[in-house]
Amino acid sequence: MNSLHPRILVVRNDKLGDFMLAWPALALLRANMPGARISVLVPGYTAPLAEICPSVDDVLVDLKLPGELRSARMLARLMKQKEFSAVITLFSRFDTGLAAWLAGIPYRLAPATKLAQIFYNRHLVQRRSESAKPEYEYNADLVRRFLSDNGIKDIKPVAPPYLQFDEMDIRELKRKFRETHGIPGTHKLVFIHPGHGGSANNLSLIQYAALARNLYSRLGHHVVLTAGPGEERQVRELSALLAGVPHCSYFSHSGLVQFAQYLQMSDVFISGSTGPLHLAAALNRCTAAFYPRRRSSTALRWQTMNDPHRRLAFAPPLEAGEDDMAAIDAVQCAGEISSHFLQ
């Protein structure tokens, strides 16, 4: 491998939140191999975000054709054209592993899990099911292994934000948003995203309404209800529960990049454990998130990547069931969010 200018493919071709949690690993790779050409393999719907990632040079779209062999052959052709010297697979899938092998990529690293590991010649034992550390740290561990294998021992750390839009552009976007919705300039913007895409258990709309009603800021605040495609009904139902609470809605109909720009306006972003939460965290916004206590879905495993003082996490109390999100006291959570982020 050309150690100065390697062509590296990083694979994270699953959901939005999972891909966002790869950004610290991508930033670590860029910081420690500035001369490398870094490509990512992602599904089509996260590709627009990959294209604006400052750590990425090239984006390959996984079309996920029906049938493992058909998909693998298509991916192998795609990989071979790019002449990669290395592939780091953060999430192991059979067709992806077979494709990397068929493409003849010399260095192939993946977690030592699942059948797909047979297609890789470098492995890192990871017991992610134990949820002993955040997902973004498991991803970064693979990059650290790659850097170590390439003789880089003194690894430079990286810190958020991992995504940042031009402050002047966001200031103007915020000004227009406030003007459109009649929001005073002194009021903080509290974004609440009640949808969750089925990725984890979430609060009920009744709980989100109680939360919104009990938030407090000395200078005032305005609630912004957000929705991705297919989540509009939840936002409309929640809006109906918030009579008397200053609020408005933002429906993300213009893609993830514009949604991310709006998220950079937020003073606080509140949601369950879902993709938009991790997008807000990549921007280093203040986040408050709700998690079940189930081992595979804990607040530690899916911890946000923003600075520690910018994140709060809530889960059912120990005396409740691990998935009993109804046991979370929304009023108490509102008090904690207010004292941490809105004073």
Side-chain angles (χ1 to χ4, degrees), residues 36-63:
R37 183 163 186 84
I38 301 172
S39 301
V40 290
L41 177 68
V42 296
Y45 82 104
T46 62
L49 281 175
E51 287 167 357
I52 64 167
C53 177
S55 304
V56 169
D57 299 301
D58 191 24
V59 178
L60 279 67
V61 175
D62 180 3
L63 299 177

Side-chain angles (χ1 to χ4, degrees), residues 138-150:
Y138 285 117
N139 292 331
D141 284 345
L142 284 153
V143 167
R144 292 186 188 101
R145 165 64 187 276
F146 172 78
L147 294 171
S148 178
D149 285 351
N150 282 273

Side-chain angles (χ1 to χ4, degrees), residues 193 195 226-235 250-253 259 276:
H193 189 89
T226 63
E231 297 174 332
E232 296 90 345
R233 180 185 58 80
Q234 290 166 291
V235 162
Y250 171 71
F251 298 128
S252 176
H253 291 150
F259 188 30

Side-chain angles (χ1 to χ4, degrees), residues 6 10 12 16 23 73 97 100 102 124 137 143 156 205 227 239 254 265 290-291 298 303 306 309 312 314 321 324 326:
V10 179
R12 190 78 217 208
L16 170 61
W23 284 46
R73 291 191 189 102
L102 289 172
L124 181 65
E137 282 294 342
V143 167
K156 301 173 190 173
L205 295 183
S239 178
S254 299
M265 300 189 322
F290 299 94
Y291 303 85
T298 62
Q303 184 182 90
N306 44 352
H309 69 278
L312 285 175
F314 303 97
D324 187 6

Side-chain angles (χ1 to χ4, degrees), residues 21 113 125-138 141 273 291-303 322:
L21 288 167
T113 55
V125 175
Q126 293 187 321
R127 308 197 191 286
R128 297 195 187 198
S129 61
E130 295 179 359
S131 298
K133 63 173 73 173
E135 180 73 5
Y136 62 81
E137 282 294 342
Y138 285 117
D141 284 345
S273 180
Y291 303 85
R293 283 199 339 272
R294 191 180 342 114
R295 178 181 286 184
S296 63
S297 306
T298 62
L300 175 60
R301 173 69 185 279
W302 300 105
Q303 184 182 90
E322 61 183 17

